[in-house]
Amino acid sequence: MPDDPLHEPNDADLLGMLRGITAGDRVLDVPPASIWTGIERAVRADRPTSAAGAATTPPAGFGRAEPARFADAARRRPRGRLLAAAAAVAVLAGIVGVVTSRTDRAGTVQIAAAQLSSAGLPGAPAGLTGDAKVIERGGKEYLHIDAARIVPKSGEYLELWLIDTNVKGMVSLGIVDRGGDYELPRGLRYTDYPIVDISSEPYDGQPTHSGDSLLRGKLV
Amino acid sequence: MTPDAITIDRSFSTGDDAVLRRAYDVHAPLVYTFCRRTVGPEAAHDVTQEVFLAAWRARERFDPSRGTLAGWLIGIAKNKVLDSLRRRQLHLIDDADQPPAVPVGPDHVETTANRMLLAAALAELPDRARHVVELAYLHDLTHDQIAQRTSLPLGTVKSDIRRGLDRLRRHLDHAHA
């Protein structure tokens, strides 16, 4: 509004957003009842109350119990608390690994290991396998990779990643040529980034993961 | 905002389970629809649950003086949506029951969130304020032109637009408000 000196400069972005509104933006879908059921169960489970399995009166305001699709979904693919539980088990296994770790004659201690495979990875050749181990040697931690049969896509290179289970973060450990020892950055705990991933990367100057994973496994 | 929504906003951070239920009743359609239009109908179910659980577990951090609960929930939803899209791109989730979607990027997530929040906020403005704001952005009219078109005093038009835009901005997620 050019004739108005009171018009604030940052109204322009708001007006622009308003112009983008379509009729459909106001039409809302009805959430299936099973969404609420899953939330209610998770909130109850959060509370440190009576022993699991004891019949408790639902708190006032919560709806009646209904068939929970949330539980079914959790069985099909680990999410939420199930994922956290799996991660907790993996951490425990990792700790046990340290306590009963194997020390070879060269003074290398194995802390954790992962079987790598291409199963479930679209675009990856079937039947690829590899090994990953977190080892400690001379006061430093390394990720030891054995992946002799792996080759990148034509014209690309292989890159090694550690990914956290929430996919909030991933760390690149560098370029891979079939295997080797990759020093883990000080302060990086493999328990925070337990998913080992080897991808085929194009030479496009982009540091982000291409999405073309060839091998993957979880350190335990 | 309706009186009920205002009460829910004020009591959410310190409330009991009953407040969560009411907040869900009021805001789940917006969150669920936003998820459907970004991660798709199948993933929207689980992502919506994650949003409300994350919001409830972090409810002490919600400050109603900084914006609305709807905006805060959509802010959380944007992050969950982006996580889900990232996991899908890395094939870290089983896509067998989700039809391949049109590639959805962060820009689409951002603009969808803004449009849906603003559309809801517009509908809650008083009629006169909404009419005046629409004349301003839809038809690009000046204050004078709006005053003539509506037969309202120029001062009323200016303050309606100012207050209307301020209220709309409050409804965007906390990053914008």
Side-chain angles (χ1 to χ4, degrees):
Chain A
M1 289 168 273
D3 66 353
D4 182 12
L6 298 175
H7 179 61
E8 287 179 24
N10 65 354
D11 283 343
D13 69 325
L14 183 55
L15 292 170
M17 285 188 230
L18 287 166
R19 281 185 205 106
I21 291 176
T22 67
D25 290 327
R26 186 71 189 104
V27 178
L28 302 182
D29 303 314
V30 176
S34 51
I35 293 180
W36 171 252
T37 309
I39 293 169
E40 186 183 11
R41 285 189 187 198
V43 168
R44 275 209 211 114
D46 272 357
R47 265 199 300 277
T49 53
S50 43
T56 50
T57 323
F62 272 21
R64 281 184 299 276
E66 287 171 32
R69 190 193 137 171
F70 185 52
D72 288 339
R75 253 179 261 129
R76 276 190 285 114
R77 47 178 198 268
R79 293 185 75 83
R81 284 169 37 236
L82 209 58
L83 192 60
V89 168
V91 167
L92 199 58
I95 292 171
V96 168
V98 168
V99 168
T100 62
S101 57
R102 302 170 315 163
T103 309
D104 65 19
R105 253 176 270 139
T108 300
V109 177
Q110 177 176 314
I111 298 170
Q115 291 279 45
L116 308 179
S117 103
S118 59
L121 299 176
L128 276 188
T129 56
D131 273 310
K133 301 193 220 302
V134 178
I135 58 174
E136 189 262 319
R137 187 170 60 228
K140 291 189 182 166
E141 284 187 0
Y142 301 83
L143 185 65
H144 174 84
I145 298 289
D146 265 311
R149 277 164 49 220
I150 190 171
V151 289
K153 292 179 168 180
S154 169
E156 298 192 352
Y157 63 92
L158 296 172
E159 191 160 355
L160 174 66
W161 308 82
L162 288 178
I163 305 178
D164 74 6
T165 50
N166 293 325
V167 203
K168 278 250 189 299
M170 55 190 74
V171 179
S172 170
L173 296 180
I175 295 176
V176 177
D177 181 20
R178 281 186 241 145
D181 290 353
Y182 296 83
E183 188 175 339
L184 294 184
R186 215 168 261 289
L188 180 125
R189 300 185 314 175
Y190 79 89
T191 47
D192 289 335
Y193 300 87
I195 300 175
V196 178
D197 181 293
I198 298 180
S199 67
S200 181
E201 298 285 335
Y203 289 98
D204 59 0
Q206 301 283 350
T208 51
H209 195 296
S210 65
D212 289 332
S213 297
L214 298 179
L215 280 182
R216 188 178 289 155
K218 186 162 181 186
L219 291 166
V220 291
Chain B
M1 286 171 62
T2 64
D4 193 38
I6 294 172
T7 308
I8 294 170
D9 274 35
R10 286 211 193 110
S11 52
F12 188 77
S13 65
T14 54
D16 61 5
D17 298 339
V19 172
L20 173 60
R21 176 77 218 228
R22 286 166 65 202
Y24 178 87
D25 285 341
V26 171
H27 298 297
L30 178 68
V31 172
Y32 176 65
T33 306
F34 168 70
C35 291
R36 280 181 69 102
R37 293 178 188 169
T38 48
V39 293
E42 281 293 319
H45 184 282
D46 287 1
V47 175
T48 302
Q49 287 176 326
E50 289 172 27
V51 169
F52 278 92
L53 276 172
W56 187 242
R57 288 168 178 154
R59 63 191 179 279
E60 287 161 34
R61 278 192 251 141
F62 171 65
D63 179 357
S65 71
R66 286 187 57 215
T68 63
L69 181 58
W72 192 63
L73 288 170
I74 290 296
I76 295 172
K78 284 197 293 191
N79 287 332
K80 297 294 181 189
V81 160
L82 290 171
D83 280 353
S84 179
L85 293 172
R86 209 174 293 137
R87 281 201 291 269
R88 186 182 299 171
Q89 190 209 344
L90 293 179
H91 310 294
L92 279 169
I93 56 178
D94 178 6
D95 257 0
D97 49 51
Q98 297 173 26
V102 172
V104 172
D107 285 345
H108 171 84
V109 172
E110 179 73 20
T111 54
T112 302
N114 289 336
R115 285 189 353 240
M116 291 185 66
L117 281 169
L118 287 175
L122 261 180
E124 289 173 17
L125 284 181
D127 286 344
R128 191 184 77 199
R130 179 174 62 253
H131 183 53
V132 161
V133 166
E134 280 174 353
L135 288 174
Y137 79 80
L138 270 182
H139 303 287
D140 240 351
L141 300 183
T142 65
H143 288 157
D144 279 329
Q145 290 167 328
I146 295 173
Q148 279 166 28
R149 180 91 70 102
T150 60
S151 306
L152 290 168
L154 182 62
T156 304
V157 169
K158 288 183 178 176
S159 66
D160 268 5
I161 288 179
R162 179 75 270 133
R163 270 196 261 111
L165 289 183
D166 287 346
R167 282 168 78 159
L168 291 178
R169 188 180 292 283
R170 252 199 112 243
H171 278 77
L172 293 177
D173 84 70
H174 283 43
H176 293 279

